[in-house]
Amino acid sequence: RRIIPKGIIPVYSIYSTARKLSSNIGNDTSDAAAAVQVAPGITIQTALNDAVKALERKLVPEPEESALHLLSHALDLSWENGHRELRVCLPSTSNSMLANQLMSEEQSNTFQSLLGRRINLEPLQYIIGQWDFHDLVGLKIKEPMLCPRPETEELVEFVLEEVSELIRNRGSTNERIRILDVGCGTGAIGLAIANRYRDEVQVLALDVLPDAVELSNDNAKRFFANNAGEKKGHKLNTIYKAILCSADDYTNTQEGERYKMGFDIVVSNPPYIPTKDMTTLSEDVSRYESDKALCGGDDGLDIIRHIVKRLPEWTTGNCWLEVDDSHPSLIADWLSPGSLESARFGVECVSTYKDFCGRDRFVKLRVL
């Protein structure tokens, strides 16, 4: 799996200084590209080290990792190992065959263009068009959908533990465990869960952005179209399907039995950033990623309230949420066991968890 440096995929709770530092970075890609020249005929080693220095001068986060991934992409090296193979070219004393290979004109032009985009703080995932997430190698990424964050892999692990327990306890039935993913974006969460238990689960994913629904379903085809489940006669929709629908609209209270309910688990990484914090986001987030996928209203809880309202209709089980680090304590008070609000919604907060950075990040809810 790809090691994800913190600076390449921003964690929303860390409002970096990139916005302040970007005053010397123009919005025009051609101007940014002019900040670094990649001449045809230079060695790969020279191109790589010059790129690292150029990115450092422009205060781009993780300049070394950015240069490695972009050069690998420009050289059309393998997705899994290309950036690792290039790492041997970083020491100026390296005398490897790859380090001494000369850049063609096409490779030089491509690399310079990619560097220009990165200097403009465009996320690496958008430039390359894919990234690894959990056990998914080469998940397609497209602007303005959120670039999957490393802490969201922890959310996936919580759900996988519960899926494993449900499988152990379900007995001899072959019925799939049904999971609802609210706000799917690239499809990362639901696809990672389905990837682990592709013959055991069925994921339905919701999003309000048509591009997100299309991208999620494209990623599902990429990972599951030729899997073992297909050979057993299962259709792709048996494993994963994304549809255009909001959390609040996924209900049968208005139009009869339009949607199938009875999910075993609900999971969501909803828009959760409070409005007041949107202006503090680093520019690589605020300039490129969708506000609809980021902002959760005044206190960041707008979509979470919709989810809580619909939970008893969706499931009799648990719901796992990734939230802003200000939310776990608020949700724990709001839906504390035995409280009037918990009784009113039929939902209680079971527990909260920290992410790998030690920040309050995850909430487990249970339907009463």
Side-chain angles (χ1 to χ4, degrees), residues 36-37 42 115 171 207 209 219 273 296 311:
V36 55
Q37 297 294 320
I42 64 173
L115 287 171
D207 208 288
L209 296 177
N219 272 322
I273 299 177
L311 267 180

Side-chain angles (χ1 to χ4, degrees), residues 48 51 55 60 63-77 79 83 86 103 107 110-119 122-128 131:
L48 178 59
L55 295 172
V60 174
E64 187 173 292
E65 294 298 326
S66 293
L68 286 167
H69 283 85
L70 293 177
L71 183 53
S72 175
H73 190 58
L75 297 175
D76 198 26
L77 300 180
W79 169 249
H83 62 291
L86 284 170
M103 298 279 290
Q107 291 169 340
T110 299
F111 189 37
Q112 182 166 319
S113 175
L114 298 178
L115 287 171
R117 293 169 65 182
R118 186 64 183 136
I119 286 172
E122 183 175 351
L124 196 59
Q125 293 79 2
Y126 291 160
I127 300 173
I128 295 175
W131 203 253

Side-chain angles (χ1 to χ4, degrees), residues 254-267:
Q254 299 171 350
E255 301 182 22
E257 298 299 315
R258 181 182 180 187
Y259 298 114
K260 183 179 179 182
M261 302 299 179
F263 293 96
D264 297 287
I265 303 172
V266 176
V267 61

